[in-house]
Amino acid sequence: MAHLRLAVLASGRGSNLQALLDASEAGQMNASVVVVISDKEKAQALERARKHGISAVWVNPRDYRGKEDFEAVLIEVIKGHKVDLILLAGFMRILSSYFVRQAGIPILNIHPSLLPAFPGLNAQKQAIDYGVRYSGCTVHFVDEGVDSGPIILQAVVPVFPDDSEETLAMRILVEEHKLYPQAVQLLSEGRIRCAGRKVIISGEGEVDG
Ligand code: GAR
């Protein structure tokens, strides 16, 4: 079982980052976050990384002329930390196909809806406005589209009639914090492979010993 070195890209609060740090420290995930990168100087995610003695890097998009120049720096930082896996955790920028190709390692994203429903921004609001009775979260591979890559894991939560965007977001977040470390653990165990769009998880559904 390989111990994975993770780069986490986050723009804000970083509660998913925190869940990953906690799972790693508790030995529930055979992986360590080695660098956190943000496009926002004041992101709480950077603060969380520093508290854990983890390299915290702010890359200011305004310092670069174009998206590729900005993304080239992200790649440079990631490569400098000998990372096995890139995790997007509330990174609120769409990465280009240049980034996906240059990375050369798997990239995962967590999204607060049951994809392919409600991709893009404000997924929880989209779910409430649409009137679905269930929503949830999805961990998926990042491909060259928006929230469109092969789905690794999903978790479902109910949507209640009196839900606000915030109450639904919090209910989904509880599941996100369990799902992301689980997906990383499956990868570290070498149990995940892609067959076209489908993700095959070996041992799934088998009864333990
Ligand atoms: C999470 O709900 C994550 O799924 C979502 O942003 C939040 C980040 O929270 N991501 C997206 O909407 C990506 N399109 P966090 O900073 O506390 O982890």
Side-chain angles (χ1 to χ4, degrees), residues 61 64-74 93-99:
Y64 305 94
R65 253 184 295 129
K67 197 169 181 142
E68 277 199 14
D69 291 351
F70 166 70
E71 292 182 349
V73 176
L74 300 182
R93 279 176 186 274
I94 295 167
L95 292 164
S96 73
S97 44
Y98 165 82
F99 180 88

Side-chain angles (χ1 to χ4, degrees), residues 22-44:
D22 293 346
S24 175
E25 283 172 13
Q28 292 157 358
M29 186 182 82
N30 189 22
S32 309
V33 180
V34 295
V35 60
V36 175
I37 307 173
S38 185
D39 56 333
K40 296 272 190 282
E41 184 180 16
K42 303 260 181 278
Q44 205 188 331

